[in-house]
Amino acid sequence: MNETWIVFKAESLSAHGWEERKLLPVGGLTDILATEWDFSGKLPQIGDRVREYANLEDPGNGITHGRDGNWIVKSIHQFSSSDTNLCIAVCYCAYEPVESKWVELKRGKPVNEILQPAEIG
């Protein structure tokens, strides 16, 4: 199974919206908008929007809702390791605001219900 680290970056540090991007722990400005791991093999495409996630009822405590964000993928660069199944996809994004509504995320069964111990005997 391939494992891909996807990095969404602004096209430059001075790209629109730079004032609102998160500061790194050392106080510097970052052009990284988001990162995620993918195990499905389905990578972002040009024109996809960076998704935003939040817990609308209890901020900072997990996520319950998602929506399309204001950043859109303009180009993608992929890098693969010759000796492992690890890949990196760097998606360069432009700021293109869009009105989108928060949508509640569908969740499966809790892990403790899925992994019920088998009864022996």
Side-chain angles (χ1 to χ4, degrees), residues 1-120:
M1 175 188 318
N2 282 347
E3 182 178 346
T4 304
W5 182 37
I6 302 170
V7 181
F8 297 94
K9 293 179 55 138
E11 292 176 309
S12 73
L13 275 175
S14 60
H16 184 77
W18 67 268
E19 309 91 344
E20 298 172 11
R21 288 198 300 271
K22 297 177 184 174
L23 296 177
L24 298 171
V26 294
L29 181 64
T30 182
D31 58 355
I32 296 176
L33 305 167
T35 64
E36 59 186 54
W37 285 96
D38 179 85
F39 299 90
S40 72
K42 183 177 183 261
L43 297 178
Q45 301 294 310
I46 292 174
D48 286 353
R49 290 193 170 270
V50 179
R51 296 282 295 169
E52 295 178 354
Y53 298 97
N55 184 329
L56 300 181
E57 295 175 11
D58 188 8
N61 189 20
I63 59 171
T64 59
H65 291 74
R67 71 176 177 186
D68 286 339
N70 291 326
W71 293 89
I72 190 165
V73 176
K74 293 295 187 173
S75 66
I76 302 169
H77 299 260
Q78 295 181 20
F79 306 91
S80 299
S81 169
S82 61
D83 57 347
T84 69
N85 61 353
L86 299 175
C87 300
I88 298 173
V90 180
C91 302
Y92 290 89
C93 304
Y95 185 77
E96 294 183 15
V98 66
E99 292 249 353
S100 62
K101 295 185 184 219
W102 290 103
V103 176
E104 186 172 0
L105 300 174
K106 304 265 188 239
R107 298 291 178 157
K109 290 183 179 180
V111 171
N112 61 348
E113 288 181 27
I114 295 171
L115 300 177
Q116 298 254 344
E119 291 186 28
I120 300 174

